[in-house]
Amino acid sequence: MAVVAGLVRGPLRQASGLLKRRFHRSAPAAVQLTVREAINQGMDEELERDEKVFLLGEEVAQYDGAYKVSRGLWKKYGDKRIIDTPISEMGFAGIAVGAAMAGLRPICEFMTFNFSMQAIDQVINSAAKTYYMSAGLQPVPIVFRGPNGASAGVAAQHSQCFAAWYGHCPGLKVVSPWNSEDAKGLIKSAIRDNNPVVMLENELMYGVAFELPAEAQSKDFLIPIGKAKIERQGTHITVVAHSRPVGHCLEAAAVLSKEGIECEVINLRTIRPMDIEAIEASVMKTNHLVTVEGGWPQFGVGAEICARIMEGPAFNFLDAPAVRVTGADVPMPYAKVLEDNSIPQVKDIIFAVKKTLNI
């Protein structure tokens, strides 16, 4: 009997071992995470990793942030590292810049980037220029972050996009995430960077959930600043966007695909330094270009892309002039029907693509 039992148990043990080994080899499944949760997770991991990192801004601590992006961080890290400030952007931005010069790594949250205009002297003159003016002796490792661009029903003074404003200034790095993967990877890279980084989020994207791939769930996950991502492969036309309009471009591409038009959609991720090489490589393949942004047209991100393409090797590959899709050249109206017509919609992108392709 003992011999028989041994013969039976042997194969069972082997089978059990195989099953265990296969189970442990399985990759972690992707999870659903909102953009808000992704930024929160990224900041939490960096606060835990480096005691020099701290967050300050209006309502970021006890209230968990105006948009709940810093939810739970005050309870976890306390008053010294999650700091509520008075309503004084120039004051607390100056405190943050000084802290960065002293060796800390502040994350300075603006309740909206429209309010950063109160602190723009600190962002540009104090943070962006100091490393250069000190001949590389004084780094300023700081992150300025918060919602940027049009929201909904908040009118002209709370609806502008600052990508072109801050992207214009040497000394700054400027990132603009679209989905949860972008948000987590870019906030972590921004915090670790030794240069001042402006992170332009979008209020309307905070509550949108995206699938976070397995590699992005790691505490070591970073997205390199200055690298764009091809979100959809295509052969007929290149469509370049950043932030919320990336989603509109993908929706337009899905509609156009049914008509036999294959769009290559590029998510810029970084405004400065811009990954112009990725755009050039795509244009050399598709021979057509459309840029999409929520900001105003004059001196905008799309204008810069078009100029760089014209000046570079990809220009000779264009079969038609590049076309820009932008926000309307007006202060944002309050009325909803006017507001909807002042920012790019899916139909506007479809129209621009067909115009470029002469369809």
Side-chain angles (χ1 to χ4, degrees), residues 36 39-40 43 55-75 82-85 108-112 145-147 201 203 206:
R36 173 187 292 110
I39 299 169
N40 178 282
M43 291 196 296
L55 171 68
L56 79 166
E58 296 155 356
E59 300 183 350
V60 299
Q62 296 185 44
Y63 189 66
D64 283 339
Y67 300 99
K68 306 306 174 192
V69 174
S70 55
R71 177 177 283 148
L73 298 181
W74 175 66
K75 289 178 181 175
I82 311 297
I83 304 168
D84 278 330
T85 65
C108 178
E109 177 181 307
F110 295 119
M111 192 180 290
T112 158
R145 53 154 295 270
E201 301 154 15
E203 180 187 335
Y206 280 147

Side-chain angles (χ1 to χ4, degrees), residues 38 180-190 221-224:
S180 301
E181 181 183 350
D182 294 351
K184 182 181 178 184
L186 288 171
I187 186 65
K188 287 170 69 70
S189 292
F221 175 70
L222 300 170
I223 290 176

Side-chain angles (χ1 to χ4, degrees), residues 46 124 158:
E46 294 306 305
I124 304 301
H158 295 75

Side-chain angles (χ1 to χ4, degrees), residues 255-287:
V255 172
L256 289 162
S257 181
K258 295 174 183 176
E259 301 178 30
I261 302 168
E262 295 300 332
C263 301
E264 182 146 294
V265 179
I266 296 180
N267 173 8
L268 271 179
R269 285 182 166 174
T270 304
I271 306 300
R272 185 184 184 103
M274 186 179 288
D275 189 359
I276 197 68
E277 292 83 7
I279 302 170
E280 285 176 339
S282 180
V283 169
M284 288 176 180
K285 179 174 73 172
T286 66
N287 311 117

Side-chain angles (χ1 to χ4, degrees), residues 302-316:
E304 175 66 14
I305 293 170
C306 291
R308 298 277 285 275
I309 290 297
M310 186 187 74
E311 293 167 351
F315 175 71
N316 291 322

Side-chain angles (χ1 to χ4, degrees), residues 113 123 142-144 166 172-176 196-200:
F113 259 96
V123 178
I142 184 171
V143 179
F144 299 101
Y166 289 118
L172 287 179
K173 293 185 179 181
V174 183
V175 298
S176 180
V197 180
V198 172
M199 180 154 161
L200 303 171

